[in-house]
Amino acid sequence: MPQPSPRHEIAHLGHVELFTPEPEKSLDFFVRVLGLTENGTDGDSVYLRTWDDYEHHSLKLTAAKTSGVGRTAVRASSEEALKRRVVALEERGLGVGWVDGDTGIGPTYLFRDPDGHELEVYWETERYRPPEHLRPALKNQAQAYPGRGVGVRRLDHVNYLAREAEVNGRFICDALGGRVTEQIRLDSGVISGQWTHFAQKSYDIVYTTDWTKSNGRLHHIAFATDTREDILRAADIALDNDVHIETGPHKHAIQQTFFLYLYEPGGNRIELCNPTGRLIFAPDWEPVTWTEAERAKGQAWGLRTIESFHTHGTPPVA
């Protein structure tokens, strides 16, 4: 019997674990400045959620000796899809095994991408039930708008650094059923960046080349806002709270995302983004390829890409 296509067997990005050597300061940043809500603890980790993600948490903030990314979780589209993706991962020799899921999620399969980043896939999940003081007026909303800080709406994407972007992007497509929406091809022919997605949102997991040739590092994680104006307001909030603004507000040429990049106190890069409603509906979408010359022009409206955008990653390399 032919196997079903892996397309749409991963529903969406679930949550990301972020390591920080400054746990108290990082927690204050995510709660007070970005507007996330605490939703429990587990040892050295704090669970945080945006106001319209439907699951238990969007971010797992873990105290550690250095910055960087821990496990990234993706949710399967069914119990059967989970089992099929596990088989596909084991066939590629990148499966680690079944582990107890974080609070709020059920049986979880741990695996690694070719670069060594840890990911996990699950199906069973706990839908968030807000306490009375966070109950929204509209029952189709996960939580009341917090009215605090930036007020980010949802976790949007994770951008990994990798030795070989194309190898890892191909893994996301072949093993998890993702699809490349846009990419950068250098004059040498090397693919230096790939943007992959699972559903209609234009990207969920991104790989860009790590100039240090290290493995398993993070470029940034991103949270989406309701509007582009929220990004402008976020820049003022960052200024008032002595948060380092790396670049922006501006608009990317790739994916046309309106953006602001910040460093949280632990040293990790955080993007605040608004995709301006851009969705991918075409079932036969072909990747948009950007040349080295096109990328040298900078961002959409001419802003030059700041040098640290190519050199800063976490954990830092000595």
Side-chain angles (χ1 to χ4, degrees), residues 28-44:
D28 178 71
F29 169 84
F30 284 108
V31 172
R32 188 175 57 82
V33 179
L34 293 198
L36 277 71
T37 300
E38 290 188 54
N39 194 31
T41 60
D42 182 7
D44 291 332

Side-chain angles (χ1 to χ4, degrees), residues 67-119:
S67 52
V69 64
R71 295 179 185 174
T72 295
V74 295
R75 190 181 182 205
S77 58
S78 68
E79 182 73 37
E80 293 72 24
L82 171 61
K83 294 176 181 177
R84 287 190 291 267
R85 290 312 94 215
V86 169
V87 170
L89 292 163
E90 291 180 339
E91 288 176 346
R92 287 161 175 80
L94 290 169
V96 176
W98 292 95
V99 297
D100 291 334
D102 283 334
T103 301
I105 64 175
T108 301
Y109 189 79
L110 178 65
F111 63 98
R112 293 187 176 91
D113 65 15
D115 202 70
H117 300 96
E118 284 194 339
L119 297 97

Side-chain angles (χ1 to χ4, degrees), residues 4-14 54-55 74-86 120-125 127 176-177 198-199:
S5 167
R7 286 286 295 136
H8 305 302
E9 294 219 323
I10 298 299
H12 61 80
L13 180 65
Y54 71 92
E55 295 184 277
V74 295
R75 190 181 182 205
S77 58
S78 68
E79 182 73 37
E80 293 72 24
L82 171 61
K83 294 176 181 177
R84 287 190 291 267
R85 290 312 94 215
V86 169
E120 56 188 21
V121 58
Y122 64 96
W123 160 243
E124 295 179 14
T125 191
R127 280 172 168 73
L176 299 182
F198 297 118

